[in-house]
Amino acid sequence: MNEIVTLERRQLLGRLGAVLAAGTVAGIVPAAAAQGASPAGSGAQGAFGPLKRVRAGDLEVAYVEAGPADGKPVLLLHGWPYDIHSYAEVAPVLAAAGYRVLIPYLRGYGATRFLSEATPRNGQQAALAHDAVAFLDALGVERTLVAGYDWGARTACILAALWPARCRALVSVSGYLIGSQQANAMPLPPKAELQWWYQFYFATERGREGYARYTRDFARLIWELASPQWRFDDATFARSAPAFDNPDHVAVSIHNYRWRLGLAQGETRFDAIERKLAAFPTIAIPTITLEGDANGAPHPEPAAYARRFSGRYEHRTITGGIGHNLPQEAPRAFAQAVVDVDGF
């Protein structure tokens, strides 16, 4: 490592340390070029500044941005059934450390909208990865740190595996989450299958109708089961709940889980990507994987995926009753991982 890079990293870590020591996680630096106030019910409330929007691929993506416009980009991707507020306390830490933080609502969440009624409300993994690449293209971001959990971790892993030139480094909660319909066709032991109860529920029309009718109740139940020791309050859930009112949320969510089981077709334009993913490509960029010590959601053991990372790699288990929504439950550990992997 040359002296200039070493100095830059020391300065960055110094800023991060000052932020963490001061506990500066309550407010987020608003985007310098924020375009107007957020509409009612958009979900851009609480710690975030106003939403921005950009046309990207199949979508008009709603997103928040924090930190200096010329900072090193960091793309943070949320999961199901959560939203951008998973990063409400991560973003200001990274912004204060000099990063340009980008947090988009995924398709089917918040104020993100499909540009055409004719576009399938597709939730397959390749579609979400395509969205992420299109988002980076639309913002003119050539290379970024990428980090996520749940659906967001899967998308981040796909970007790192198939578009490594676009990714500086990766932080992935629960490790290597790339899947395939072929692999998902293999039955698991009964206890493991039990953890996927909602996937089987969604395979039925009763499940689709039930999720549509009780979306917020369902999401809150998943939060409680996936993070059994996370004592979030009503206000915390209420801050994220409007994101599930998106008109395409149910369709995208149901398709995601049905596609995994081979019960729904994907789009043929993504077939080449899915063939590559079905081979479980290794990830060569620098990576830190994270796992909470109280993750109640289905997740692989770290030893099962370590060999999927061929570059510099480190795994961290975050203790203290941390569940599935790790960036919201342990924001400082998550932010530290982003900074650390940037220095690999």
Side-chain angles (χ1 to χ4, degrees):
M1 185 179 293
N2 62 49
E3 294 181 0
I4 295 177
V5 173
T6 301
L7 178 59
E8 289 178 347
R9 176 160 171 75
R10 286 174 180 166
Q11 292 171 338
L12 181 63
L13 289 173
R15 289 196 296 271
L16 177 67
V19 171
L20 295 179
T24 310
V25 294
I28 193 168
V29 180
Q35 300 170 356
S38 304
S42 69
Q45 43 188 306
F48 290 125
L51 281 176
K52 302 178 75 173
R53 291 173 175 79
V54 64
R55 289 196 167 202
D58 298 326
L59 306 172
E60 180 179 73
V61 178
Y63 68 102
V64 292
E65 182 172 346
D70 60 350
K72 193 178 297 182
V74 180
L75 177 63
L76 303 179
L77 299 167
H78 70 80
W80 173 90
Y82 304 94
D83 82 322
I84 62 174
H85 289 95
S86 292
Y87 298 107
E89 294 184 70
V90 172
V93 175
L94 294 177
Y99 289 98
R100 179 190 181 191
V101 185
L102 302 168
I103 315 173
Y105 278 110
L106 303 185
R107 56 170 57 196
Y109 291 82
T112 290
R113 294 291 186 271
F114 285 88
L115 296 174
S116 171
E117 289 296 325
T119 303
R121 273 38 179 178
N122 180 357
Q124 76 182 105
Q125 60 182 356
L128 284 117
H130 177 267
D131 291 345
V133 174
F135 177 67
L136 295 176
D137 288 344
L139 295 183
V141 174
E142 293 296 325
R143 199 160 179 249
T144 182
L145 291 145
V146 60
Y149 68 100
D150 195 80
W151 286 20
R154 179 172 295 105
T155 301
C157 286
I158 293 171
L159 293 183
L162 300 189
W163 288 274
R166 305 297 298 271
C167 304
R168 292 183 57 87
L170 167 69
V171 173
S172 178
V173 176
S174 297
Y176 187 96
L177 295 181
I178 295 172
S180 74
Q181 288 180 316
Q182 297 93 322
N184 289 337
M186 297 297 294
L188 300 172
K191 285 186 179 180
E193 295 282 18
L194 179 61
Q195 290 188 300
W196 289 106
W197 65 271
Y198 54 88
Q199 181 170 255
F200 298 107
Y201 181 60
F202 287 168
T204 69
E205 281 305 295
R206 177 187 175 94
R208 183 200 60 76
E209 184 177 346
Y211 190 56
R213 183 176 299 184
Y214 303 109
T215 307
R216 292 192 179 195
D217 292 338
F218 201 104
R220 181 155 190 155
L221 175 61
I222 294 295
W223 283 32
E224 292 168 352
L225 295 176
S227 299
Q229 297 185 43
W230 182 27
R231 301 294 180 249
F232 63 89
D233 57 19
D234 291 344
T236 298
F237 181 78
R239 186 175 59 175
S240 291
F244 315 138
D245 296 338
N246 182 294
D248 301 305
H249 177 74
V250 172
V252 170
S253 299
I254 296 299
H255 184 270
N256 177 285
Y257 289 101
R258 289 185 179 181
W259 178 87
R260 295 190 198 192
L261 295 178
L263 301 176
Q265 295 296 315
E267 293 179 72
T268 56
R269 59 178 170 146
F270 298 131
D271 286 352
I273 294 176
E274 294 295 351
R275 283 193 295 270
K276 292 178 181 178
L277 297 176
F280 300 108
T282 58
I283 293 174
I285 67 170
T287 299
I288 291 177
T289 58
L290 302 173
E291 189 59 83
D293 64 341
N295 186 357
H299 63 278
E301 290 298 319
Y305 53 71
R307 63 186 178 87
R308 299 293 183 186
F309 301 98
S310 61
R312 183 171 175 183
Y313 170 69
E314 180 181 322
H315 175 77
R316 298 176 181 178
T317 297
I318 310 303
T319 60
I322 304 303
H324 191 59
N325 185 3
L326 192 148
Q328 195 162 359
E329 297 175 60
R332 296 186 182 190
F334 191 91
Q336 187 69 58
V338 172
V339 173
D340 289 347
V341 80
D342 186 27
F344 276 12

